[in-house]
Coordinates of all heavy atoms in Angstrom, one line a residue:
M1 N 27.1 -0.5 32.4 CA 28.2 0.4 32.5 C 27.7 1.4 33.6 O 26.6 1.7 33.6 CB 28.3 1.2 31.1 CG 29.2 2.3 31.2 SD 29.6 2.9 29.6 CE 31.2 3.5 29.7
P2 N 28.6 1.8 34.5 CA 28.1 2.6 35.6 C 28.0 4.1 35.2 O 28.5 4.5 34.2 CB 29.4 2.6 36.5 CG 30.4 1.8 36.0 CD 29.9 1.2 34.8
K3 N 26.9 4.6 35.9 CA 26.5 6.0 35.5 C 27.5 6.9 36.0 O 28.1 6.6 37.1 CB 25.1 6.3 35.7 CG 24.9 6.2 37.3 CD 23.4 6.5 37.6 CE 23.2 6.4 39.0 NZ 21.8 6.6 39.5
T4 N 27.8 8.1 35.5 CA 28.7 9.1 36.1 C 27.8 10.1 36.9 O 26.7 10.4 36.5 CB 29.4 9.8 34.9 OG1 28.5 10.4 34.0 CG2 30.4 8.8 34.2
K5 N 28.5 10.7 37.9 CA 27.7 11.4 38.7 C 28.0 12.9 38.3 O 29.0 13.2 37.7 CB 28.3 11.5 40.1 CG 27.9 10.1 40.8 CD 26.5 9.8 41.1 CE 26.2 8.6 41.6 NZ 24.8 8.3 41.8
S6 N 27.0 13.8 38.4 CA 27.2 15.2 38.0 C 28.0 16.0 38.8 O 28.7 17.0 38.3 CB 25.8 15.8 37.7 OG 25.2 16.0 39.1
K7 N 28.2 15.8 40.0 CA 29.1 16.5 40.9 C 30.4 15.7 41.1 O 30.4 14.5 41.1 CB 28.4 16.7 42.2 CG 27.2 17.6 42.2 CD 26.7 17.8 43.5 CE 25.4 18.5 43.5 NZ 24.8 18.9 44.7
T8 N 31.5 16.4 41.2 CA 32.7 15.9 41.4 C 32.9 15.6 43.1 O 32.4 16.4 43.8 CB 33.9 16.6 40.9 OG1 33.9 17.9 41.5 CG2 33.7 16.7 39.4
S9 N 33.8 14.7 43.4 CA 34.2 14.4 44.8 C 34.8 15.6 45.4 O 35.6 16.2 44.9 CB 35.0 13.1 44.8 OG 35.4 12.8 46.1
K10 N 34.5 15.8 46.7 CA 35.0 16.8 47.5 C 36.4 16.5 48.1 O 37.0 17.2 48.7 CB 34.0 17.3 48.6 CG 32.8 17.8 48.1 CD 31.9 18.3 49.2 CE 30.7 19.1 48.6 NZ 29.8 19.7 49.6
I11 N 36.7 15.2 48.0 CA 37.9 14.6 48.5 C 38.7 13.8 47.4 O 38.1 13.5 46.3 CB 37.8 13.7 49.8 CG1 36.9 12.5 49.5 CG2 37.3 14.6 50.9 CD1 36.8 11.6 50.6
N12 N 39.9 13.5 47.6 CA 40.7 12.8 46.6 C 40.5 11.3 46.8 O 41.6 10.5 47.0 CB 42.1 13.2 46.6 CG 42.9 12.6 45.5 OD1 42.3 12.2 44.5 ND2 44.2 12.6 45.5
F13 N 39.3 10.8 46.9 CA 39.1 9.3 47.0 C 37.6 8.9 46.6 O 36.8 9.7 46.9 CB 39.1 8.9 48.6 CG 39.0 7.5 48.9 CD1 40.0 6.7 48.8 CD2 37.8 7.1 49.1 CE1 39.9 5.3 49.2 CE2 37.6 5.6 49.4 CZ 38.7 4.8 49.4
T14 N 37.4 8.0 45.8 CA 36.2 7.4 45.2 C 36.1 6.1 45.5 O 36.7 5.2 45.2 CB 36.2 7.7 43.8 OG1 36.5 9.0 43.4 CG2 34.9 7.2 43.2
P15 N 35.1 5.8 46.4 CA 34.7 4.4 46.8 C 34.2 3.6 45.7 O 33.7 4.1 44.6 CB 33.7 4.6 47.8 CG 33.0 5.8 47.6 CD 34.1 6.7 46.9
F16 N 34.4 2.2 45.8 CA 33.9 1.3 44.6 C 32.4 1.0 45.0 O 31.9 1.1 46.1 CB 34.7 0.0 44.7 CG 36.0 0.1 44.2 CD1 37.1 -0.3 45.0 CD2 36.3 0.5 43.0 CE1 38.4 -0.2 44.6 CE2 37.6 0.7 42.5 CZ 38.6 0.2 43.3
G17 N 31.8 0.7 43.9 CA 30.3 0.1 44.1 C 29.3 1.1 44.7 O 29.3 2.2 44.3
K18 N 28.6 0.5 45.6 CA 27.6 1.4 46.2 C 27.9 1.9 47.6 O 27.2 1.8 48.5 CB 26.2 0.5 46.3 CG 25.6 0.2 45.0 CD 24.2 -0.6 45.1 CE 23.5 -0.8 43.9 NZ 22.3 -1.4 44.0
K19 N 29.1 2.4 47.6 CA 29.6 2.9 48.9 C 29.7 4.4 48.9 O 29.8 5.1 47.8 CB 31.1 2.3 49.1 CG 31.2 0.8 49.2 CD 31.0 0.4 50.7 CE 31.3 -1.1 50.9 NZ 30.4 -2.0 50.3
C20 N 29.6 4.9 50.0 CA 29.5 6.5 50.1 C 30.6 6.9 51.2 O 30.8 6.1 52.1 CB 28.3 7.0 50.7 SG 26.9 6.6 49.5
I21 N 31.3 8.1 51.1 CA 32.1 8.6 52.1 C 31.4 9.8 52.6 O 30.7 10.7 52.0 CB 33.5 9.2 51.5 CG1 34.1 8.1 50.6 CG2 34.3 9.7 52.6 CD1 34.7 6.9 51.5
V22 N 31.1 9.7 54.0 CA 30.5 10.7 54.7 C 31.3 11.5 55.7 O 32.0 10.8 56.6 CB 29.2 10.1 55.4 CG1 28.4 11.1 56.3 CG2 28.3 9.4 54.6
K23 N 31.2 12.8 55.8 CA 31.8 13.6 56.8 C 30.8 13.7 57.9 O 29.8 14.5 57.7 CB 32.3 15.0 56.2 CG 33.0 15.9 57.2 CD 34.3 15.4 57.7 CE 35.0 16.4 58.6 NZ 36.0 15.8 59.4
R24 N 31.2 13.3 59.0 CA 30.2 13.3 60.1 C 30.1 14.8 60.6 O 31.1 15.5 60.7 CB 30.7 12.5 61.3 CG 29.7 12.2 62.4 CD 30.4 11.4 63.4 NE 30.8 10.0 63.2 CZ 30.1 9.0 63.5 NH1 29.2 8.9 64.4 NH2 30.5 7.8 63.1
R25 N 28.9 15.2 61.0 CA 28.7 16.5 61.6 C 29.4 16.7 63.0 O 29.3 15.7 63.7 CB 27.2 16.8 61.7 CG 26.9 18.2 62.2 CD 25.3 18.4 62.3 NE 24.6 17.5 63.1 CZ 24.3 17.5 64.4 NH1 24.7 18.8 65.0 NH2 23.7 16.7 65.0
V26 N 30.1 17.9 63.1 CA 30.8 18.0 64.4 C 29.9 18.9 65.4 O 29.2 19.9 64.9 CB 32.0 18.8 64.1 CG1 32.8 19.2 65.3 CG2 32.9 17.9 63.2
I27 N 29.7 18.4 66.5 CA 29.1 19.1 67.6 C 29.9 20.0 68.4 O 31.0 19.4 68.9 CB 28.3 18.2 68.5 CG1 27.2 17.4 67.6 CG2 27.6 18.9 69.6 CD1 26.4 16.4 68.3
D28 N 29.5 21.3 68.8 CA 30.3 22.0 69.6 C 30.1 21.4 71.1 O 28.9 21.4 71.4 CB 29.9 23.5 69.5 CG 30.7 24.4 70.3 OD1 31.8 24.0 70.9 OD2 30.5 25.6 70.3
P29 N 31.1 21.1 71.8 CA 30.9 20.6 73.1 C 30.5 21.6 74.2 O 30.4 21.2 75.4 CB 32.3 20.0 73.4 CG 33.3 20.7 72.7 CD 32.5 21.0 71.5
I30 N 30.6 22.9 73.8 CA 30.1 23.9 74.8 C 28.7 24.4 74.3 O 28.5 24.9 73.2 CB 31.1 25.1 74.9 CG1 32.5 24.6 75.2 CG2 30.6 26.1 75.8 CD1 33.6 25.4 75.3
S31 N 27.8 24.4 75.2 CA 26.4 24.8 74.8 C 26.4 26.3 74.8 O 27.3 27.0 75.2 CB 25.4 24.4 76.0 OG 25.7 25.1 77.1
S32 N 25.2 26.8 74.3 CA 25.1 28.3 74.0 C 25.2 29.1 75.4 O 25.6 30.2 75.5 CB 23.9 28.7 73.5 OG 22.7 28.2 74.1
G33 N 24.9 28.3 76.4 CA 25.0 28.8 77.9 C 26.3 28.7 78.5 O 26.5 29.2 79.7
G34 N 27.3 28.1 77.9 CA 28.6 28.0 78.3 C 28.9 26.8 79.1 O 30.0 26.6 79.7
I35 N 27.9 25.8 79.1 CA 28.2 24.5 79.8 C 28.9 23.6 79.0 O 28.6 23.4 77.7 CB 26.8 24.0 80.3 CG1 26.2 24.9 81.1 CG2 27.0 22.5 80.9 CD1 24.7 24.5 81.6
I36 N 30.0 22.9 79.4 CA 30.7 21.9 78.7 C 29.8 20.6 78.7 O 29.6 20.0 79.8 CB 32.1 21.6 79.2 CG1 32.9 22.9 79.1 CG2 32.7 20.6 78.6 CD1 34.2 22.9 79.7
L37 N 29.4 20.1 77.5 CA 28.6 18.9 77.6 C 29.3 17.6 77.7 O 28.8 16.8 78.4 CB 27.8 18.9 76.2 CG 27.1 20.2 75.8 CD1 26.6 20.2 74.3 CD2 25.9 20.4 76.7
T38 N 30.4 17.4 77.1 CA 31.1 16.2 77.2 C 32.5 16.4 76.5 O 32.6 17.4 75.7 CB 30.4 15.0 76.6 OG1 31.1 13.9 76.9 CG2 30.1 15.2 75.2
T39 N 33.3 15.5 76.6 CA 34.6 15.6 75.8 C 34.3 15.3 74.3 O 33.4 14.6 74.0 CB 35.7 14.6 76.4 OG1 35.2 13.3 76.2 CG2 36.0 14.9 77.8
T40 N 35.1 15.8 73.5 CA 35.0 15.7 72.0 C 35.0 14.2 71.5 O 34.2 13.8 70.8 CB 36.1 16.4 71.3 OG1 36.1 17.8 71.8 CG2 35.8 16.5 69.8
E41 N 35.8 13.3 72.2 CA 35.9 11.9 71.8 C 34.5 11.2 72.0 O 34.2 10.3 71.4 CB 37.0 11.2 72.6 CG 38.3 11.6 72.2 CD 38.7 12.9 73.0 OE1 38.3 13.2 74.2 OE2 39.5 13.8 72.4
E42 N 33.7 11.7 73.0 CA 32.5 11.0 73.3 C 31.2 11.4 72.5 O 30.3 10.8 72.5 CB 32.1 11.3 74.9 CG 33.1 10.8 75.8 CD 32.8 11.1 77.2 OE1 32.0 11.9 77.5 OE2 33.5 10.6 78.0
I43 N 31.5 12.5 71.8 CA 30.4 13.0 70.9 C 30.4 12.3 69.5 O 31.4 12.2 68.8 CB 30.5 14.5 70.6 CG1 30.4 15.4 71.9 CG2 29.4 14.9 69.6 CD1 30.6 16.8 71.8
S44 N 29.3 11.6 69.2 CA 29.2 10.8 68.0 C 27.8 11.1 67.4 O 26.8 10.7 67.9 CB 29.3 9.3 68.4 OG 29.2 8.6 67.2
T45 N 27.8 11.8 66.3 CA 26.5 12.1 65.6 C 26.1 11.0 64.7 O 26.9 10.1 64.3 CB 26.7 13.5 64.9 OG1 27.7 13.4 63.9 CG2 27.0 14.5 65.9
T46 N 24.9 11.0 64.3 CA 24.2 10.0 63.3 C 24.0 10.8 62.1 O 23.0 10.3 61.4 CB 23.2 9.3 63.9 OG1 22.3 10.2 64.4 CG2 23.7 8.5 65.1
D47 N 24.6 11.9 61.8 CA 24.3 12.6 60.6 C 25.5 13.1 60.1 O 26.6 13.3 60.7 CB 23.1 13.7 60.7 CG 23.5 14.7 61.7 OD1 24.1 14.6 62.7 OD2 23.4 15.9 61.4
G48 N 25.5 13.5 58.7 CA 26.6 14.1 58.1 C 26.4 14.5 56.7 O 25.3 14.4 56.2
T49 N 27.5 14.7 56.0 CA 27.4 15.2 54.5 C 28.1 14.3 53.7 O 29.4 14.0 54.0 CB 27.9 16.7 54.4 OG1 27.2 17.6 55.4 CG2 27.7 17.2 53.0
I50 N 27.6 13.8 52.6 CA 28.3 12.9 51.6 C 29.3 13.7 50.9 O 28.9 14.8 50.2 CB 27.2 12.2 50.7 CG1 26.3 11.4 51.4 CG2 28.0 11.5 49.6 CD1 25.1 10.7 50.6
V51 N 30.5 13.2 50.8 CA 31.6 14.0 50.1 C 32.1 13.2 48.9 O 32.8 13.7 48.1 CB 32.7 14.3 51.1 CG1 32.3 15.3 52.2 CG2 33.4 13.0 51.7
S52 N 31.8 11.8 48.8 CA 32.1 11.0 47.7 C 31.3 9.9 47.6 O 30.8 9.4 48.6 CB 33.6 10.6 47.8 OG 34.1 10.0 46.7
V53 N 30.9 9.6 46.4 CA 30.1 8.4 46.1 C 30.7 7.4 45.1 O 31.4 7.8 44.2 CB 28.6 8.7 45.7 CG1 27.8 9.5 46.7 CG2 28.7 9.6 44.4
G54 N 30.2 6.0 45.2 CA 30.7 5.1 44.3 C 29.9 5.3 43.0 O 28.8 5.8 43.0
A55 N 30.4 4.7 41.9 CA 29.8 4.7 40.7 C 28.4 4.1 40.5 O 27.5 4.5 39.7 CB 30.6 4.2 39.5
E56 N 28.1 3.1 41.4 CA 27.0 2.3 41.3 C 25.8 3.0 42.3 O 24.7 2.4 42.5 CB 27.2 0.8 41.7 CG 28.1 0.3 40.7 CD 28.4 -1.2 41.0 OE1 27.7 -1.8 41.8 OE2 29.4 -1.7 40.5
C57 N 26.1 3.9 43.1 CA 25.1 4.5 44.0 C 24.0 5.0 43.2 O 24.1 5.9 42.2 CB 25.7 5.7 44.8 SG 26.8 5.1 46.1
E58 N 22.7 4.7 43.6 CA 21.5 5.0 42.9 C 20.9 6.3 43.5 O 20.4 7.1 42.6 CB 20.5 3.9 43.0 CG 20.8 2.7 42.3 CD 19.9 1.6 42.5 OE1 18.7 1.8 42.4 OE2 20.3 0.5 42.9
Y59 N 20.9 6.6 44.7 CA 20.3 7.7 45.4 C 21.1 8.8 46.0 O 20.8 9.8 46.1 CB 19.2 7.2 46.3 CG 18.3 6.1 45.8 CD1 18.4 4.8 46.1 CD2 17.2 6.6 45.0 CE1 17.5 3.9 45.6 CE2 16.4 5.5 44.5 CZ 16.6 4.2 44.7 OH 15.7 3.3 44.3
A60 N 22.3 8.2 46.6 CA 23.2 9.2 47.3 C 23.8 10.1 46.3 O 24.3 9.7 45.2 CB 24.2 8.4 48.1
E61 N 23.9 11.3 46.7 CA 24.7 12.4 45.8 C 25.6 13.3 46.7 O 25.2 13.5 47.9 CB 23.6 13.2 45.1 CG 22.9 12.6 44.0 CD 21.9 13.5 43.3 OE1 22.2 14.8 43.3 OE2 21.1 13.0 42.6
I62 N 26.6 13.7 46.2 CA 27.6 14.5 46.9 C 26.9 15.8 47.3 O 26.1 16.4 46.6 CB 28.8 14.9 46.0 CG1 29.6 13.5 45.8 CG2 29.6 15.8 46.7 CD1 30.7 13.7 44.7
G63 N 27.0 16.1 48.6 CA 26.3 17.3 49.1 C 25.2 17.0 49.9 O 24.7 17.9 50.7
H64 N 24.6 15.8 49.7 CA 23.4 15.4 50.6 C 23.8 15.3 52.1 O 24.7 14.9 52.4 CB 22.8 14.0 50.3 CG 22.0 14.0 49.0 ND1 21.6 12.8 48.5 CD2 21.3 14.9 48.4 CE1 20.7 13.1 47.4 NE2 20.6 14.4 47.4
H65 N 22.7 15.9 52.9 CA 23.0 15.8 54.3 C 22.2 14.6 54.8 O 21.0 14.5 54.5 CB 22.4 17.1 55.0 CG 23.1 18.3 54.6 ND1 24.4 18.6 55.0 CD2 22.8 19.3 53.7 CE1 24.7 19.8 54.4 NE2 23.8 20.1 53.7
V66 N 22.8 13.5 55.3 CA 22.2 12.3 55.5 C 22.1 11.9 57.0 O 22.9 12.4 57.9 CB 22.9 11.2 54.7 CG1 22.8 11.4 53.1 CG2 24.4 11.1 55.2
L67 N 21.2 11.0 57.3 CA 21.0 10.4 58.7 C 21.4 8.9 58.4 O 21.1 8.3 57.4 CB 19.6 10.3 59.1 CG 19.1 11.8 59.3 CD1 17.7 11.7 59.6 CD2 19.8 12.5 60.4
F68 N 22.1 8.2 59.4 CA 22.5 6.9 59.4 C 22.5 6.3 60.7 O 22.6 7.0 61.8 CB 23.9 6.7 58.7 CG 25.0 7.7 59.2 CD1 25.7 7.4 60.4 CD2 25.1 8.8 58.6 CE1 26.6 8.3 60.8 CE2 26.1 9.8 59.1 CZ 26.9 9.5 60.2
P69 N 22.4 4.9 60.9 CA 22.5 4.4 62.2 C 23.7 4.6 62.9 O 24.8 4.9 62.4 CB 22.3 2.9 61.9 CG 21.6 2.8 60.6 CD 22.4 4.0 59.9
Q70 N 23.7 4.6 64.4 CA 24.8 5.0 65.2 C 26.1 4.2 64.8 O 27.2 4.8 64.9 CB 24.5 5.0 66.7 CG 25.6 5.3 67.6 CD 25.2 5.4 69.0 OE1 24.1 5.0 69.3 NE2 25.9 5.9 69.7
F71 N 26.0 2.9 64.7 CA 27.2 2.1 64.6 C 27.4 1.6 63.2 O 27.8 0.4 63.0 CB 27.1 0.9 65.7 CG 27.0 1.4 66.9 CD1 26.0 1.3 67.8 CD2 28.2 2.0 67.6 CE1 25.9 1.8 69.0 CE2 28.1 2.5 68.9 CZ 26.9 2.3 69.6
T72 N 27.0 2.3 62.1 CA 27.3 1.9 60.7 C 28.6 2.5 60.2 O 29.0 3.5 60.7 CB 26.0 2.3 59.9 OG1 26.1 1.6 58.7 CG2 26.0 3.8 59.6
G73 N 29.0 1.8 59.2 CA 30.2 2.3 58.5 C 31.5 2.2 59.3 O 31.5 1.6 60.5
S74 N 32.6 2.4 58.6 CA 33.9 2.4 59.1 C 34.6 3.7 59.1 O 34.6 4.3 58.0 CB 34.8 1.2 58.5 OG 34.2 0.0 58.3
E75 N 35.4 4.0 60.2 CA 36.0 5.3 60.1 C 37.3 5.2 59.3 O 38.1 4.1 59.5 CB 36.5 5.7 61.6 CG 35.3 6.4 62.2 CD 35.7 7.1 63.5 OE1 37.0 7.1 63.9 OE2 34.8 7.7 64.1
I76 N 37.6 6.1 58.5 CA 38.8 6.1 57.6 C 39.5 7.5 57.8 O 38.7 8.4 58.1 CB 38.7 5.6 56.2 CG1 37.6 6.6 55.5 CG2 38.1 4.2 56.1 CD1 37.5 6.5 54.1
E77 N 40.8 7.6 57.5 CA 41.4 9.0 57.5 C 41.8 9.3 56.1 O 42.6 8.4 55.6 CB 42.5 9.0 58.6 CG 42.9 10.3 58.9 CD 43.9 10.4 60.1 OE1 43.5 9.9 61.1 OE2 45.0 11.0 59.9
I78 N 41.5 10.4 55.6 CA 41.9 10.8 54.4 C 42.4 12.3 54.3 O 41.6 13.0 54.9 CB 40.9 10.7 53.3 CG1 40.3 9.2 53.1 CG2 41.3 11.1 51.9 CD1 39.0 9.1 52.4
E79 N 43.6 12.5 53.9 CA 44.1 13.9 54.1 C 44.0 14.5 55.4 O 43.5 15.6 55.5 CB 43.4 14.7 53.0 CG 43.7 14.2 51.4 CD 42.8 14.9 50.4 OE1 41.9 15.7 50.8 OE2 43.0 14.5 49.3
D80 N 44.3 13.8 56.5 CA 44.3 14.2 57.8 C 42.8 14.6 58.2 O 42.7 15.3 59.3 CB 45.2 15.4 58.0 CG 46.6 15.1 57.8 OD1 47.1 13.9 58.1 OD2 47.4 16.0 57.3
E81 N 41.8 14.1 57.6 CA 40.3 14.3 58.1 C 39.8 12.8 58.3 O 40.2 11.9 57.6 CB 39.6 15.0 57.0 CG 40.0 16.4 56.8 CD 39.4 17.4 57.9 OE1 38.4 17.0 58.5 OE2 40.0 18.4 58.1
T82 N 38.9 12.8 59.3 CA 38.2 11.4 59.5 C 36.9 11.5 58.9 O 36.1 12.5 58.9 CB 38.1 11.3 61.0 OG1 39.3 11.4 61.7 CG2 37.5 10.0 61.4
Y83 N 36.6 10.4 58.1 CA 35.4 10.2 57.5 C 34.8 8.9 57.8 O 35.5 7.9 58.3 CB 35.5 10.3 55.9 CG 36.2 11.5 55.4 CD1 37.5 11.8 55.3 CD2 35.3 12.6 55.1 CE1 38.0 13.0 54.8 CE2 35.8 13.7 54.6 CZ 37.2 14.0 54.5 OH 37.7 15.2 54.0
L84 N 33.6 8.5 57.4 CA 33.0 7.2 57.5 C 32.8 6.8 56.0 O 32.4 7.5 55.2 CB 31.6 7.3 58.2 CG 31.5 7.6 59.7 CD1 30.1 7.8 60.1 CD2 32.1 6.5 60.4
I85 N 33.0 5.5 55.8 CA 32.8 4.8 54.5 C 31.5 3.8 54.8 O 31.7 3.0 55.8 CB 34.0 4.2 53.9 CG1 33.6 3.7 52.5 CG2 34.6 3.2 54.8 CD1 34.8 3.3 51.7
M86 N 30.5 3.9 54.2 CA 29.5 3.0 54.4 C 28.7 2.7 53.1 O 28.8 3.3 52.1 CB 28.4 3.7 55.4 CG 27.8 4.9 54.9 SD 26.6 5.7 56.0 CE 27.8 6.4 57.2
A87 N 28.0 1.6 53.2 CA 27.2 1.3 51.9 C 25.8 2.1 51.9 O 25.3 2.6 52.9 CB 26.6 -0.2 52.2
E88 N 25.6 2.4 50.6 CA 24.4 3.4 50.3 C 23.2 2.9 51.1 O 22.4 3.6 51.6 CB 24.3 3.4 48.9 CG 23.1 4.3 48.5 CD 22.8 4.4 47.0 OE1 22.8 3.3 46.4 OE2 22.5 5.5 46.6
E89 N 22.9 1.5 51.1 CA 21.7 0.9 51.9 C 21.7 1.2 53.3 O 20.6 1.1 54.0 CB 21.7 -0.6 51.6 CG 22.9 -1.3 52.2 CD 22.9 -2.8 51.8 OE1 22.4 -3.0 50.7 OE2 23.3 -3.6 52.7
N90 N 22.7 1.6 54.0 CA 22.8 2.0 55.4 C 22.3 3.4 55.7 O 22.1 3.7 56.9 CB 24.1 1.8 55.9 CG 24.5 0.3 56.1 OD1 23.7 -0.7 56.2 ND2 25.7 -0.1 56.1
I91 N 22.3 4.2 54.6 CA 21.8 5.6 54.9 C 20.3 5.6 54.9 O 19.6 5.0 54.1 CB 22.2 6.5 53.7 CG1 23.8 6.5 53.6 CG2 21.6 7.9 53.8 CD1 24.4 7.3 52.5
L92 N 19.8 6.2 56.0 CA 18.3 6.1 56.3 C 17.4 7.1 55.5 O 16.4 6.9 55.1 CB 18.1 6.4 57.8 CG 18.8 5.4 58.8 CD1 18.6 6.0 60.2 CD2 18.3 4.0 58.6
G93 N 18.2 8.2 55.2 CA 17.6 9.3 54.3 C 18.3 10.5 54.4 O 19.4 10.6 55.1
Y94 N 17.8 11.5 53.6 CA 18.7 12.7 53.6 C 17.7 14.0 53.8 O 16.5 13.7 53.7 CB 19.4 13.0 52.3 CG 18.6 13.2 51.1 CD1 18.2 14.5 50.6 CD2 18.1 12.1 50.3 CE1 17.5 14.6 49.4 CE2 17.4 12.2 49.1 CZ 17.1 13.5 48.7 OH 16.3 13.6 47.6
Y95 N 18.2 15.1 54.2 CA 17.3 16.2 54.7 C 18.0 17.5 54.1 O 19.1 17.5 53.9 CB 17.0 16.3 56.0 CG 18.4 16.5 56.9 CD1 18.8 17.6 57.3 CD2 19.2 15.4 57.2 CE1 20.0 17.8 58.1 CE2 20.4 15.5 58.0 CZ 20.8 16.8 58.3 OH 21.9 17.0 59.0
N96 N 17.1 18.5 54.1 CA 17.6 19.9 53.7 C 18.2 20.6 54.8 O 17.5 20.5 55.9 CB 16.6 20.6 52.9 CG 16.0 20.1 51.7 OD1 16.8 19.5 51.0 ND2 14.8 20.2 51.3
K97 N 19.2 21.2 54.8 CA 19.8 21.9 55.9 C 19.4 23.2 56.0 O 19.1 23.9 55.1 CB 21.3 21.8 55.8 CG 22.0 21.8 57.2 CD 23.5 21.5 57.0 CE 24.0 21.5 58.4 NZ 25.4 21.3 58.4

């Protein structure tokens, strides 16, 4: 029987099995000195925050700030927001913000 998570999902979607939904961190394309770094479409971070977890996830928890490989997961759109859905095993680790 799957264990239940103590925190509730931050979105109205729960993935199956050992999958996680991650909200990718957004980078401001303008530096502190006012230089435009690149267009928003070209910025792709490899970290984010877990917003929903499947019932079989062992380590991932909602609210963890995580690192993941650049080309992992699939982009999905939920409630007009873009998220990544990925297997828990693709998450490299989490850190304190």
